[in-house]
Amino acid sequence: MATTRTAKTHWEGNLLEGKGTVALESSKVGTYDVNWPARAEQPNGVTSPEELIAAAHSSCYSMAFSHGLAGKGYTVEALDTQADVTFQPGEGITGIALTVKARVPGLSEEDFQAAAQDAKANCPVSQALAGVKNITLAAELI
């Protein structure tokens, strides 16, 4: 069964001086401020499309990795995933660095690395972001 999730953005003003809010409509968990300085300079308590992409990518990757390992008979004790999305004004998103640290008893380093790469290639958000030329992964079994 397919699902649809919805977010809405309200924007006022031009790109450089304007501001807006993005509301997570499906879950109703929050409405967040967005503006150009938060995107191109420092966040200062305001989010950006890239931070929202990072949240989506890190959570999707963790789910895909956990699912893949469970399918091979492993129990994940913990996965900690970080996604760093780089935005270059005038160019767009130029890279995404995924970093994962995992505690998976009984899993060899070789099988861990293979499963980590498989999750990177097959998580739905990774696939949706295929236009980003530089997506890297650093995976550590702890």
Side-chain angles (χ1 to χ4, degrees), residues 65 109-119:
F65 196 12
E109 181 68 28
E110 183 179 340
D111 288 344
F112 171 75
Q113 292 297 330
Q117 290 296 331
D118 184 66

Side-chain angles (χ1 to χ4, degrees), residues 27-102:
S27 63
K28 304 287 188 207
V29 296
T31 299
Y32 305 94
D33 293 334
V34 292
N35 63 32
W36 178 255
R39 188 173 195 185
E41 298 165 17
Q42 293 299 314
N44 295 321
V46 178
T47 195
S48 68
E50 290 72 29
E51 185 176 36
L52 297 170
I53 288 170
H57 205 176
S58 67
S59 60
C60 183
Y61 177 84
S62 294
M63 291 177 187
F65 196 12
S66 175
H67 180 66
L69 290 170
K72 296 179 189 294
Y74 294 100
T75 300
V76 174
E77 286 185 0
L79 285 176
D80 291 301
T81 305
Q82 178 171 318
D84 297 304
V85 176
T86 302
F87 173 76
Q88 178 64 46
E91 292 181 43
I93 295 173
T94 58
I96 300 173
L98 291 170
T99 306
V100 63
K101 293 182 180 183

Side-chain angles (χ1 to χ4, degrees), residues 10-14 17-20:
H10 173 78
W11 187 265
E12 296 175 358
N14 64 32
E17 297 165 2
K19 61 183 178 178

